[in-house]
Amino acid sequence: MASPSRSNSGSLCSVLPRKKFRIELLRVEFRQIALIELAQQKFAARVFFEFLFPDADPAEREEEAPWTPKRGGAPPAEWYGQHVSWLNALEPPTVLWQKIVRTEQEVRFSMEVFGEFLEDFELADFPVDVQFLSVLMEFQLANEGISPVELSIEKARGNVNHHHFVWKNEYTIGDSMSVGVGERKPLETRSYQHVICSASLLRNPFFFLVNVSLPNMLLAAMAGLQFLVDVDDVADRASISLTLLLVCASYFQFSASLTPKLAYLTLLDKHSLWCIFVVIVMVLWVAMVKIIGYLGQVKDLGPVDFIAGCSFVSVLLLSQSFFLCKFLCTRRRSKTRIAEPAEAHCVIIPHGQSCKYYPVRPYLMPKLKQSPLE
């Protein structure tokens, strides 16, 4: 049987898939969360990553001429560090520093960046909601390309800096982080792996409950003051309800300006709209009570108005008790949600865990040799 020609063997080698270069995530840290903008759906953070390149040769050095696929052979470690992309970054983040650390046994790649990242905030439970701030880091090397990568999070450890968190009056940072590996497939013949790192935040609802919910509840209760005015004094009763209706509408606009334009109602919106509805009913009752007296030939409307006042108090107490229980149950569920992964394919990595690369006693670490990454 004739052996294949050199050209055929060369084309065959080019078609065969290369062995995937394994990249293991060792450590990820949210060192600073500088900005959280709900209305613009973005946050700014300073994030640190460290990866282990177990397939890289520790004795290998980057030559003066950069490696290209035409040179052949396996790409050096620097090649993979130069193909980092940020999928949800508003703009390319600022790289504060990055380096390759070599020991006699291993090669590690670390970098720290600061940038603004887009986040789809889920606000159905606002203001007792949980938010996940996620950073998506991708190596722009296709699985079907000349230098595919295989990402691993088995040895990952994470941390969120609690001490320099300036949003502690509004949020509480969760005690764990979630990390996962996702895949993006822009084409049928190309797919890319990326790392998802998420920090969880639990909102402190005190500001919104005191400045929005409590005033709306009191304004709805004040709409019942018209029952203290004589039923025949229509002008005074209508002025009370209409004034309260305008104030409730302004509070609703205030609460809507704090969140992005959503296609659904938040928990705070539902409470505000219910209070507005109660005030609107009181405005309509001013005219309805006169219509009832005219159609029913009732001369004394006092008992009718009294029954309506008792019904108003009962409905108001029941509805506000319902919303209070709803807030408390949602708050309890949010405290449980903060300890869960951000997505289904992510895993939890608790704070403060050590591993073989970061032992409790630092002097056990091997002596490191650093080389800057160009």
Side-chain angles (χ1 to χ4, degrees), residues 333-357:
R333 186 174 66 249
S334 298
K335 289 183 178 180
T336 305
R337 180 75 176 92
I338 197 174
E340 299 176 356
E343 299 183 21
H345 58 276
C346 296
V347 296
I348 291 294
I349 49 175
H351 290 285
Q353 283 193 349
S354 61
C355 63
K356 59 177 293 188
Y357 298 96

Side-chain angles (χ1 to χ4, degrees), residues 210-319:
V210 172
N211 292 276
V212 180
S213 295
L214 183 60
N216 282 333
M217 181 184 67
L218 295 177
L219 291 173
M222 292 173 62
L225 293 177
Q226 67 169 322
F227 293 107
L228 301 179
V229 181
D230 187 79
V231 68
D232 295 325
D233 197 348
V234 178
D236 291 343
R237 299 186 67 162
S239 63
I240 294 175
S241 300
L242 289 174
T243 302
L244 293 175
L245 178 61
L246 294 176
V247 177
C248 285
S250 64
Y251 265 96
F252 181 76
Q253 292 295 327
F254 169 71
S255 62
S257 64
L258 302 175
T259 59
K261 296 180 180 179
L262 304 173
Y264 53 87
L265 295 176
T266 66
L267 185 58
L268 186 65
D269 292 338
K270 294 177 181 178
H271 180 261
S272 300
L273 287 176
W274 172 254
C275 293
I276 293 176
F277 175 76
V278 171
V279 178
I280 292 176
V281 171
M282 290 297 98
V283 174
L284 297 177
W285 176 250
V286 176
M288 290 174 58
V289 67
K290 301 299 293 183
I291 295 175
I292 292 174
Y294 176 77
L295 297 178
Q297 300 296 325
V298 179
K299 297 182 179 180
D300 187 9
L301 294 174
V304 177
D305 198 49
F306 177 78
I307 295 175
C310 294
S311 302
F312 167 79
V313 173
S314 301
V315 171
L316 184 66
L317 291 177
L318 289 176
S319 62

Side-chain angles (χ1 to χ4, degrees), residues 10-28:
S11 60
L12 181 62
C13 293
S14 62
V15 173
L16 291 176
R18 288 179 176 267
K19 178 184 177 182
K20 288 189 176 182
F21 185 83
R22 187 173 177 82
I23 299 178
E24 299 179 354
L25 177 63
L26 292 183
R27 187 157 59 109
V28 57

Side-chain angles (χ1 to χ4, degrees), residues 38 122-132 170-172 201-210 213 259 266-269 271 323-338:
L38 285 183
E122 179 59 44
L123 299 170
D125 296 333
F126 182 84
V128 286
D129 54 314
V130 172
Q131 299 299 336
F132 292 93
E170 187 174 351
Y171 296 94
T172 300
L201 301 177
L202 176 65
R203 189 186 307 277
N204 299 324
F206 180 80
F207 173 82
F208 301 97
L209 295 180
V210 172
S213 295
T259 59
T266 66
L267 185 58
L268 186 65
D269 292 338
H271 180 261
F323 278 106
L324 178 60
C325 294
K326 184 69 173 178
F327 273 107
L328 294 177
C329 293
T330 307
R331 177 70 173 177
R332 180 179 300 179
R333 186 174 66 249
S334 298
K335 289 183 178 180
T336 305
R337 180 75 176 92
I338 197 174

Side-chain angles (χ1 to χ4, degrees), residues 21 52-62 75-78 100-108 367-371:
F21 185 83
L52 174 68
F53 293 166
D55 296 337
D57 185 5
E60 187 180 36
R61 294 292 186 271
E62 175 72 359
E78 285 78 4
I100 293 289
V101 178
R102 287 182 168 88
T103 65
E104 297 178 357
Q105 298 86 14
E106 62 189 22
V107 178
R108 284 183 282 167
K367 186 176 180 180
L368 305 179
K369 297 179 182 179
Q370 300 181 4
S371 60

